[in-house]
Amino acid sequence: MSAPSRPTRPFRVGVQLQPQHATYAEIRRAVEAAEDAGVDIVFNWDHFYPLSGPADGPNFECWSMLAAWAEQTNRVEISALVTCNSYRNPDLLADMARTVDHISDGRLILAIGAGWFEKDYDEYGYPFGTAGRRIDALGEALPRIVSRWEQLVPAPTRKIPIMIGGGGEKKTLPLVARYADIWHGFGEPDELARKIDILHGYCAEHGRDPGEIELSTAVQKSPDELGESLTGLGYTLVTTDCDGRSGYDLGLTREWVAYRDEINAG
């Protein structure tokens, strides 16, 4: 592996421990293994049914689990990748996030998106509507969440970082420019580069320094294949994923942790 260049902020590695096809005891052990492996962030997800594998397989709820992780872990930040805005009242979600922030001593990231998995909506009685309306609802929720944090007693332990997931160029990226501390995008490097340019344009419209927004993406390939191209675009957060079918195999995650240590060492 060739020595990569150092980014403008520390490079970080997350792992999404997908809470599907596993017992909770297996998930608990995976969280411990991820923290021991040196990851920076441990994510779950906010879905009520598995997204892959047997559709009727085991799956666990997101925010109950995050509260448990807040007690179980000591160092890693914790989050969902990502919370679905549609499933909870924004003021309630703000309070839930504030509470988990306190339980974790300030290690929560509120990662949020507009929602997309229609089965969740149908089975749990949420109106699915259109993608455009769901993104509009996210835009209405974000200022309510921030406002509620300002009113809660006690206040959050820190300015809770907001991660926005998604790459919609007309509605989602403007929300990223206004509200996000972290943008989690999807796609190959060429596509990500194009969206970064669009995001920078929205930042200019809102008087925001794009350097304030950390760039994040998911990876399913090794740092030998993706590291140079992603760091060249300014990415400083990458996230692997695994679930119970693999026994929560952290092999790829450990490769990225080693890459992180190399790049941060300069």
Side-chain angles (χ1 to χ4, degrees):
M1 184 186 303
S2 60
S5 58
R6 187 181 179 112
T8 56
R9 55 163 56 91
F11 194 86
R12 303 196 292 164
V13 176
V15 60
Q16 184 189 53
L17 302 176
Q18 299 172 350
Q20 61 173 7
H21 307 303
T23 65
Y24 191 73
E26 290 169 328
I27 294 170
R28 184 188 299 112
R29 288 193 294 269
V31 173
E32 181 178 0
E35 187 164 50
D36 289 347
V39 301
D40 299 288
I41 309 170
V42 181
F43 296 94
N44 60 10
W45 68 22
D46 193 18
H47 296 290
F48 306 131
Y49 296 92
L51 297 187
S52 59
D56 60 351
N59 190 79
F60 288 95
E61 193 274 329
C62 168
W63 276 87
S64 310
M65 186 179 299
L66 288 178
W69 288 5
E71 286 284 7
Q72 178 186 349
T73 57
N74 296 298
R75 178 189 55 79
V76 292
E77 291 187 291
I78 56 175
S79 188
L81 193 61
V82 293
T83 295
C84 176
N85 177 64
S86 306
Y87 300 162
R88 299 163 192 88
N89 171 282
D91 295 271
L92 171 61
L93 178 60
D95 204 348
M96 292 166 62
R98 183 279 308 252
T99 299
V100 175
D101 165 71
H102 275 265
I103 297 170
S104 66
D105 293 324
R107 293 182 290 115
L108 178 82
I109 297 169
L110 178 61
I112 192 166
W116 63 274
F117 189 40
E118 190 168 3
K119 181 177 180 179
D120 282 350
Y121 287 79
D122 291 345
E123 293 286 343
Y124 277 58
Y126 297 108
F128 188 60
T130 65
R133 179 62 196 122
R134 292 194 300 277
I135 297 171
D136 288 342
L138 176 61
E140 294 161 6
L142 286 164
R144 285 179 59 183
I145 290 168
V146 173
S147 175
R148 180 57 56 186
W149 282 337
E150 294 170 350
Q151 300 172 57
L152 288 169
V153 179
T157 67
R158 64 170 178 169
K159 180 183 181 296
I160 297 174
I162 294 175
M163 172 191 280
I164 295 179
E169 297 171 12
K170 294 183 178 179
K171 290 191 172 185
T172 301
L173 291 182
L175 294 178
V176 173
R178 291 182 64 189
Y179 296 105
D181 300 289
I182 309 167
W183 171 51
H184 187 80
F186 303 92
E188 296 298 321
D190 288 349
E191 176 69 4
L192 292 171
R194 190 179 66 80
K195 289 183 182 290
I196 289 169
D197 286 341
I198 295 170
L199 175 60
H200 286 188
Y202 287 122
C203 286
E205 290 180 17
H206 292 286
R208 182 107 188 263
D209 177 1
E212 297 175 359
I213 303 171
E214 184 172 18
L215 299 180
S216 165
T217 193
V219 291
Q220 295 180 325
K221 298 178 182 177
S222 73
D224 283 331
E225 297 175 89
L226 287 176
E228 185 176 350
S229 58
L230 291 178
T231 56
L233 291 173
Y235 276 85
T236 56
L237 175 55
V238 298
T239 298
T240 63
D241 64 74
C242 52
D243 71 6
R245 292 172 299 168
S246 73
Y248 290 107
D249 182 357
L250 298 175
L252 180 61
T253 309
R254 290 188 173 93
E255 289 184 40
W256 279 100
V257 168
Y259 178 85
R260 176 205 66 194
D261 292 346
E262 180 183 0
I263 199 171
N264 287 343

